């Protein structure tokens, strides 16, 4: 079978609509409260007193949970990613997610019962990237609320999800050092500095961890912004934080490896003693030894000669 023949068979799946995947639970206030607490946003209600689900939660309601592919009764048993297996069978073994885009029709309220359907939107022509050669596969998930509009189902949002199914690029052994031209050292990307956050980065250069404070309500918040997210005042100053805190949450980045960072690369969401949270790299600890609640202390490290960054190190 030629490349054109097998790919023609795969492309025949484009436009295929897959059945419903239902949510295990109705939209409910406890999950909304937990989400808002983790994200640091306020819980909101509509005029009827029903709790409004943050729009970014849309994908969460219909997830299978900790057990893979464990969906509620009545959900489709079809595999909406079956084309990935077909492409993989022709020596394109690797997969990486490249795009995820949510759009919303309206707010989702507690008590609603959701489901989504999937449509295979497109398969690109063969593309070659730094990762390798393969195909971009795009899926569209439409989310609906059951019986929400005149007894019928109402569309509430959509998720576009795109992956790259590829054959990894060949990594060639480097030539002898003497024969190689000098490679410029890759520098860490510098932070974007604006009038809103200039005080923070100037403080970092001086070995100080500065936190924005609202002059009207006293709220501390990070990252800095032109307006207080709590009372909407434009009047603010800054205080120097102690630099002490705890690991509120963390991730360990493994792939793709982006120079000049070292991998695995642990990144923490740090809750400072003052109550606000910030994202920073964790240093001086192995990824497997990081624990939620672990006490940490800020340190200011210099890179590439003139770039200072706050990083956090566990303390005994």
């Amino acid at each position: 079978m030629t490349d054109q023949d097998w790919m023609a068979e795969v492309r025949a799946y484009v436009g295929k609509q897959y059945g419903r995947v239902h949510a295990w639970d109705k939209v409910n206030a406890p999950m909304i409260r937990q989400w808002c607490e983790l994200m640091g946003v306020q819980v909101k209600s509509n005029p009827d007193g029903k709790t409004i689900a943050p729009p970014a939660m849309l994908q969460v309601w219909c997830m299978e949970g900790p057990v893979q592919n464990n969906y509620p009764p009545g959900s489709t048993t079809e595999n909406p990613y079956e084309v990935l297996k077909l492409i993989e069978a022709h020596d394109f073994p690797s997969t990486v997610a490249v795009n995820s885009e949510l759009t919303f029709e309206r707010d989702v309220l507690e008590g609603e019962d959701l489901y989504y359907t999937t449509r295979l939107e497109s398969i690109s022509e063969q593309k070659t990237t730094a990762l390798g050669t393969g195909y971009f596969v795009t899926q569209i998930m439409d989310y609906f609320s059951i019986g929400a509009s005149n007894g019928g189902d109402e569309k509430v949002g959509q998720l576009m999800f795109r992956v790259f199914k590829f054959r990894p690029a060949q990594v060639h052994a480097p030539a002898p050092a003497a024969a190689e031209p000098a490679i410029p050292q890759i520098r860490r990307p510098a932070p974007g500095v604006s009038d809103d956050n200039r005080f923070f980065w100037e403080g970092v250069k001086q070995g100080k961890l500065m936190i924005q404070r609202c002059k009207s309500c006293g709220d501390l918040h990070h990252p800095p912004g032109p307006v207080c997210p709590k009372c909407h005042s434009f009047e603010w100053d800054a205080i120097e934080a102690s630099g002490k805190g705890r690991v509120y949450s963390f991730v360990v980045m493994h792939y793709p490896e982006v120079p000049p960072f070292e991998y695995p690369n642990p990144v923490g969401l740090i809750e400072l003693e003052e109550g606000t949270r910030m994202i920073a790299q964790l240093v001086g600890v192995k990824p497997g030894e990081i624990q939620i609640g672990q006490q940490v202390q800020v340190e200011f490290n210099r890179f590439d000669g003139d770039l200072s960054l706050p990083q956090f190190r566990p303390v005994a």
Side-chain angles (χ1 to χ4, degrees):
M1 181 180 294
T2 66
D3 289 350
Q4 292 80 4
D5 290 338
W6 74 260
M7 200 59 211
E9 291 185 6
V10 172
R11 292 190 188 282
Y13 284 81
V14 173
K16 181 175 179 179
Q17 187 85 23
Y18 295 85
R20 298 183 179 189
V21 173
H22 289 274
W24 274 106
D25 302 289
K26 292 180 182 292
V27 177
N28 60 85
M31 290 180 66
I32 294 172
R33 284 199 300 271
Q34 291 174 21
W35 172 281
C36 290
E37 181 183 350
L38 289 171
M39 296 301 175
V41 298
Q42 292 182 330
V43 179
K44 296 182 179 180
S45 301
N46 73 349
D48 296 328
K50 289 188 175 181
T51 305
I52 299 174
M57 282 191 74
L58 183 60
Q59 187 182 3
V60 173
W61 298 111
C62 295
M63 285 183 172
E64 66 266 47
V67 179
Q68 189 174 12
N69 297 324
N70 181 30
Y71 293 107
S75 298
T76 180
T77 58
E78 294 179 296
N79 179 9
Y81 297 100
E82 58 186 331
V83 294
L84 300 185
K85 291 294 184 182
L86 298 176
I87 297 174
E88 184 173 313
H90 291 273
D91 195 27
F92 295 89
S94 299
T95 308
V96 62
V98 292
N99 291 91
S100 180
E101 185 177 292
L102 276 168
T103 56
F104 313 104
E105 301 290 330
R106 65 163 175 82
D107 287 332
V108 173
L109 304 174
E110 66 171 303
E112 293 195 77
D113 203 352
L114 304 184
Y115 70 87
Y116 72 84
T117 61
T118 304
R119 181 178 75 258
L120 177 58
E121 178 74 2
S122 65
I123 302 173
S124 74
E125 297 300 321
Q126 190 175 106
K127 304 287 185 180
T128 299
T129 72
L131 292 177
T133 299
Y135 301 89
F136 291 94
V137 179
T138 303
Q139 302 271 27
I140 300 294
M141 289 78 163
D142 290 314
Y143 286 77
F144 296 88
S145 177
I146 297 176
S149 177
N150 298 323
D153 299 346
E154 181 181 0
K155 184 176 178 180
V156 295
Q158 185 180 88
L159 169 67
M160 184 280 289
F161 187 62
R162 182 176 295 128
V163 301
F164 185 43
K165 192 67 177 167
F166 65 102
R167 181 185 300 128
Q170 301 241 340
V171 179
H172 300 284
E180 287 185 351
I183 300 176
Q185 183 179 1
I186 298 177
R187 299 166 64 92
R188 286 195 176 220
V193 179
S194 67
D195 290 340
D196 295 325
N197 65 15
R198 195 180 312 279
F199 77 93
F200 177 81
W201 293 111
E202 288 178 350
V204 169
K205 288 182 179 180
Q206 299 169 23
K208 299 178 180 180
L209 191 64
M210 306 300 294
I211 301 298
Q212 192 174 43
R213 177 177 62 183
C214 176
K215 284 187 175 181
S216 296
C217 69
D219 183 60
L220 300 176
H221 45 269
H222 187 86
V227 62
C228 174
K230 187 174 182 179
C231 74
H232 303 155
S233 170
F234 286 87
E235 299 298 322
W236 59 269
D237 58 10
I239 65 168
E240 182 179 355
S242 68
K244 298 178 180 179
R246 67 184 185 95
V247 177
Y248 189 85
S249 183
F250 70 93
V251 297
V252 179
M253 299 177 61
H254 293 272
Y255 191 83
E257 296 186 358
V258 179
F261 300 98
E262 296 180 357
Y263 292 83
N265 181 14
V267 179
L269 176 60
I270 309 302
E271 185 171 73
L272 300 176
E273 277 188 341
E274 292 75 13
T276 191
R277 300 170 189 158
M278 66 170 52
I279 295 173
Q281 195 172 22
L282 295 169
V283 295
V285 61
K286 296 179 180 178
E289 297 175 353
I290 302 172
Q291 297 181 9
I292 300 296
Q294 194 169 24
Q295 299 298 311
V296 292
Q297 173 71 50
V298 73
E299 61 181 50
F300 300 94
N301 294 313
R302 189 175 293 274
F303 301 90
D304 306 322
D306 58 355
L307 176 62
S308 295
L309 295 175
Q311 298 177 316
F312 284 83
R313 182 182 296 272
V315 296

